[in-house]
Amino acid sequence: MLRTWDYRPWKPIVGIAVLVASMFVVVPILLMPVLAVAVALQGGSGAFGDRFNQALDLSSVTPATMLFLNLSLAALTLVAMGIERFIHRLRPRWLSSVRPGMRWRFFFACLGLSVVALVISLVMSSLLPQNPNTVSHGPNELTGRLVATAIVILLTTPLQALGEEYAFRGYLMQAFGSLTHGIMEDIGVSKQVAVRIAQGFALLATSGLFALAHGAQNLPLFLDRFAFGLMAGLVVILVGGLEAGIALHILNNLVAFGLAIFFGDVSSALNVSEVSWWQLPVTVVQNGGYLLLVLLVARRMGLRHTTAPPSVHAGTPAASQPVG
């Protein structure tokens, strides 16, 4: 959808660079004052500088740590919207769907479907020789810090999942797709084939980058995250919006951190780097089942998955004006 009459090949390149720089450098620096205030309010023993550095260390998660991390990722929604608006001169709502904008009725339907998919995955895991979702020990003692961490997770994790989806499936898929489509057309590939190649490359590239962005991990965990990226990206292509990916992403993260709050360790859940190969059948069943359910509901609701970008003709705004 970036390939309007205002498209230039340099725009997605600049947009990708801005997004990456914002994700790893600009946004964390801008949110340092927020972290400082959170550390001060959190209290604790030791000098403020030591507590501030501890909050930056993800190996020991505090409420301030979770707030800083989740807000840093949540801010990617605003970054992606800013890139869409000021570099591509498109309204930010074109990131959400081909409508354009968020299709809220479909989103809430997807939230319900994500619960169904979660239940299916739990049944699947219980049937495996080794259950990858087994709780290791009894309930945790609910301390004040643990309750504060739970509140931060509950309030900001949906925003964090939203930011990741707008960054990877919202902007990066369009950016990689528009670049690849342009290259294919330049070498003489037909329009229909160019679109398919662009979609395939954008899907694989963003799924791989999404998995790699989570840090050190063994191969089963990488494939687990890659599989989610494939599902979330494929549903964007087939349904024309981010709603389904956002819904399942929110539920998965809330469930993972919720279990860590009550039965595990939040630091371990945040820094998980290994899972067993038995996790993959569960992932395939959950993502595959969810995708099928989403496609059925989208078809029943009559959702569009394509759009026609505005074109220049008599009576339309000049190319220098933002697309409406």
Side-chain angles (χ1 to χ4, degrees), residues 10-301:
W10 60 265
K11 290 190 175 186
I13 296 174
V14 172
I16 292 171
V18 170
L19 182 63
V20 172
S22 299
M23 182 185 304
F24 293 107
V25 180
V26 178
V27 170
I29 290 176
L30 291 177
L31 287 177
M32 285 295 176
V34 175
L35 178 62
V37 172
V39 169
L41 294 175
Q42 178 179 277
S45 59
F48 175 81
D50 294 336
R51 289 186 283 120
F52 184 87
N53 291 331
Q54 181 186 9
L56 284 174
D57 184 4
L58 299 183
S59 62
S60 179
V61 174
T62 66
T65 302
M66 286 302 306
L67 181 66
F68 176 72
L69 179 61
N70 280 354
L71 290 184
S72 296
L73 294 172
L76 296 180
T77 300
L78 299 178
V79 172
M81 288 181 173
I83 294 171
E84 190 87 346
R85 179 64 179 82
F86 296 107
I87 295 179
H88 297 279
R89 303 182 64 78
L90 285 162
R91 301 298 184 190
R93 58 177 176 263
W94 284 106
L95 284 171
S96 302
S97 79
V98 298
R99 185 186 178 190
M102 186 72 77
R103 298 168 295 189
W104 290 106
R105 182 165 166 259
F106 179 55
F107 169 74
F108 288 113
C110 289
L111 275 179
L113 296 179
S114 65
V115 175
V116 175
L118 175 65
V119 172
I120 293 173
S121 70
L122 292 176
V123 173
M124 176 65 184
S125 64
S126 68
L127 298 176
L128 295 175
Q130 180 181 336
N131 189 339
N133 296 318
T134 301
V135 176
S136 58
H137 54 77
N140 292 325
E141 179 184 354
L142 293 182
T143 63
R145 172 164 290 194
L146 196 60
V147 170
T149 304
I151 293 173
V152 170
I153 289 173
L154 183 63
L155 295 178
T156 62
T157 293
L159 300 177
Q160 166 258 317
L162 194 74
E164 291 186 21
E165 290 304 311
Y166 268 94
F168 287 94
R169 259 68 65 177
Y171 180 72
L172 286 181
M173 276 195 72
Q174 291 193 37
F176 283 126
S178 64
L179 277 173
T180 309
H181 186 278
I183 294 172
M184 292 300 103
E185 284 194 332
D186 289 343
I187 63 176
V189 176
S190 66
K191 183 176 181 179
Q192 185 175 6
V193 174
V195 168
R196 298 306 179 201
I197 293 175
Q199 288 175 336
F201 178 77
L203 178 61
L204 293 175
T206 54
S207 300
L209 290 174
F210 174 75
L212 291 172
H214 285 79
Q217 54 201 306
N218 66 350
L219 183 56
L221 184 55
F222 173 84
L223 293 176
D224 174 81
R225 289 160 171 165
F226 183 76
F228 176 84
L230 284 179
M231 182 282 300
L234 187 59
V235 82
V236 168
I237 295 172
L238 297 177
V239 180
L242 302 180
E243 299 91 351
I246 291 172
L248 187 59
H249 201 154
I250 290 174
L251 182 71
N252 281 348
N253 287 6
L254 285 177
V255 169
F257 283 118
L259 289 174
I261 287 289
F262 291 104
F263 300 103
D265 178 67
V266 179
S267 299
S268 299
L270 182 64
N271 297 291
V272 60
S273 60
E274 294 184 2
V275 296
S276 73
W277 285 99
W278 290 112
Q279 181 64 43
L280 295 185
V282 178
T283 298
V284 171
V285 168
Q286 182 187 27
N287 290 326
Y290 181 67
L291 178 61
L292 290 176
L293 291 172
V294 166
L295 294 179
L296 289 173
V297 170
R299 182 176 180 181
R300 187 175 183 85
M301 295 176 68

